[in-house]
Amino acid sequence: QVQLVESGGGSVQAGGSLRLSCAAPGYTFNIHCMAWFRQTPGKERERVANIDSDGRTQYADSVKGRFTISRDNAKKTLYLEMNSLSPEDTAMYYCATVPSTPEYCAMAYNEGQYRYWGQGTQVTVSS
């Protein structure tokens, strides 16, 4: 069983920044598609960004230019740098992964395309 552990969530004022981390100890990290999703009560889980094994990234339109996804394969850790946060970014943030090719990852926009999930970390942005 793959274990993903998110951290770095918290409360911040609008305009602030947070950095989320997702550790994957014991996982063959470097060959898999990794992603961040977020979810608010009553809504479907929304993909925020994903990154393939070669480091190519994709972002939801709502976060382009503000969020940056990155990975450190040596540390087996995924990151999400979030800047210029707004109250609309308030959500539970999850990391997810699936063994895949870069071609699959480039089209992996939906939660059903990911196999393993973390427990989530809450981000709250106040106005």
Side-chain angles (χ1 to χ4, degrees):
Q1 185 68 22
V2 174
Q3 183 181 21
L4 301 176
V5 182
E6 300 101 333
S7 61
S11 297
V12 64
Q13 289 194 327
S17 299
L18 283 174
R19 188 194 197 200
L20 306 183
S21 299
C22 173
Y27 185 48
T28 310
F29 186 83
N30 60 305
I31 61 173
H32 301 306
C33 182
M34 305 287 299
W36 288 99
F37 282 74
R38 64 186 181 186
Q39 189 173 28
T40 54
K43 292 189 177 181
E44 292 186 353
R45 203 166 286 189
E46 169 195 30
R47 181 199 58 112
V48 174
N50 57 293
I51 183 168
D52 70 17
S53 56
D54 294 328
R56 286 183 288 261
T57 60
Q58 296 184 85
Y59 297 91
D61 288 342
S62 58
V63 306
K64 279 181 182 176
R66 300 188 300 121
F67 290 11
T68 302
I69 188 172
S70 61
R71 62 194 297 165
D72 186 329
N73 290 335
K75 294 183 178 180
K76 297 187 176 183
T77 302
L78 177 72
Y79 302 100
L80 185 68
E81 186 75 35
M82 304 186 294
N83 298 313
S84 301
L85 284 162
S86 71
E88 289 69 34
D89 296 315
T90 295
M92 184 72 77
Y93 283 72
Y94 299 89
C95 71
T97 186
V98 60
S100 77
T101 62
E103 291 74 21
Y104 178 95
C105 194
M107 301 300 293
Y109 302 146
N110 301 311
E111 63 176 305
Q113 294 175 276
Y114 290 85
R115 184 178 299 176
Y116 304 109
W117 292 83
Q119 82 289 349
T121 185
Q122 178 67 38
V123 171
T124 302
V125 184
S126 58
S127 57

